[in-house]
Amino acid sequence: KHPQHKIWPYLLRNVVIDRPNQVWCADITYIPMAKGFVYLVAVIDWYSRRVLSWRLSNTMDTAFCIDALEEAIERNGAPEIFNTDQGSQFTSEDFTGILKSNDIAISMDGKRRWVDNVFVERLWRSVKYEEVYLHAYDDIRTAKKSLGHYFEFYNTQRKHQSLADQTPDRVYYEAVERMAA
């Protein structure tokens, strides 16, 4: 948390999430490697749990978060609400400026309220136990390639009990088609 950055209110209390691109969220986690670690940011759609974009970085700067956000918007349009924690990357004027310029409502978890962003926390558990802890990445290039394969699997093949045993891609794209019709 940066002491001079604005903290936005949590907007999702008692909100029914019933369509894709209604709410997106993002978070950062660390990925252990054979020597050291890297940081992983992911943007996901709350409704479908679909990973919309992700990036790796060897520093905790804001740029890799912005890259992931811009890719997600470019590929999927803008969500109505974007939820994050209060980390300095997400409270920075550079990051929030992109959200504001796309008319996206900004929501932030309460202090020490991981449960406010539980879907991305659940993603981290899956990524780490199903992919990361099974491999000792030697370098960032190897980590990027392996995580790319995992996220492709996660979106297109990994069925989720919370999605009635459907994949995130199926839930996302079927709902987008229904909304367009």
Side-chain angles (χ1 to χ4, degrees):
K1 180 175 173 180
H2 191 285
Q4 296 171 341
H5 289 180
K6 178 178 178 174
I7 302 302
W8 298 79
Y10 184 67
L11 303 177
L12 302 174
R13 193 164 279 104
N14 301 319
V15 172
V16 175
I17 311 302
D18 59 4
R19 62 192 176 281
N21 301 327
Q22 179 182 3
V23 177
W24 292 357
C25 63
D27 194 20
I28 300 169
T29 192
Y30 74 95
I31 301 296
M33 307 224 318
K35 293 182 181 175
F37 57 91
V38 293
Y39 298 101
L40 169 64
V41 65
V43 176
I44 68 169
D45 175 68
W46 264 32
Y47 175 76
S48 65
R49 316 299 195 270
R50 183 171 183 267
V51 177
L52 303 170
S53 65
W54 60 277
R55 291 288 188 283
L56 287 176
S57 177
N58 59 0
T59 63
M60 282 281 279
D61 63 5
T62 304
F64 81 117
C65 299
I66 289 172
D67 289 346
L69 172 62
E70 289 177 334
E71 178 185 325
I73 292 171
E74 183 179 314
R75 288 185 176 188
N76 304 283
E80 297 168 32
I81 301 170
F82 198 94
N83 189 70
T84 64
D85 62 21
Q86 298 178 16
S88 62
Q89 297 82 1
F90 303 125
T91 60
S92 72
E93 187 57 44
D94 291 338
F95 192 89
T96 59
I98 294 167
L99 298 173
K100 289 186 266 184
S101 71
N102 283 281
D103 295 320
I104 301 167
I106 302 169
S107 173
M108 292 188 175
D109 303 346
K111 191 174 183 179
R112 291 190 282 280
R113 291 276 306 166
W114 64 268
V115 74
D116 289 346
N117 215 353
V118 70
F119 297 123
V120 77
E121 297 298 339
R122 182 64 181 92
L123 171 67
W124 294 152
R125 183 181 182 279
S126 298
V127 168
K128 288 182 177 180
Y129 282 92
E130 296 174 7
E131 169 61 29
V132 174
Y133 296 156
L134 303 177
H135 303 93
Y137 307 129
D138 290 325
D139 53 47
I140 197 166
R141 192 185 95 234
T142 304
K144 183 177 180 180
K145 182 177 178 181
S146 193
L147 286 165
H149 291 303
Y150 178 79
F151 286 128
E152 179 70 18
F153 163 78
Y154 181 89
N155 280 339
T156 64
Q157 296 178 41
R158 187 182 186 280
K159 295 178 181 181
H160 293 243
Q161 186 176 14
S162 64
L163 300 175
D165 288 326
Q166 297 180 85
T167 66
D169 267 7
R170 181 172 181 188
V171 170
Y172 182 87
Y173 288 117
E174 285 183 359
V176 166
E177 287 177 18
R178 277 194 312 274
M179 289 169 47

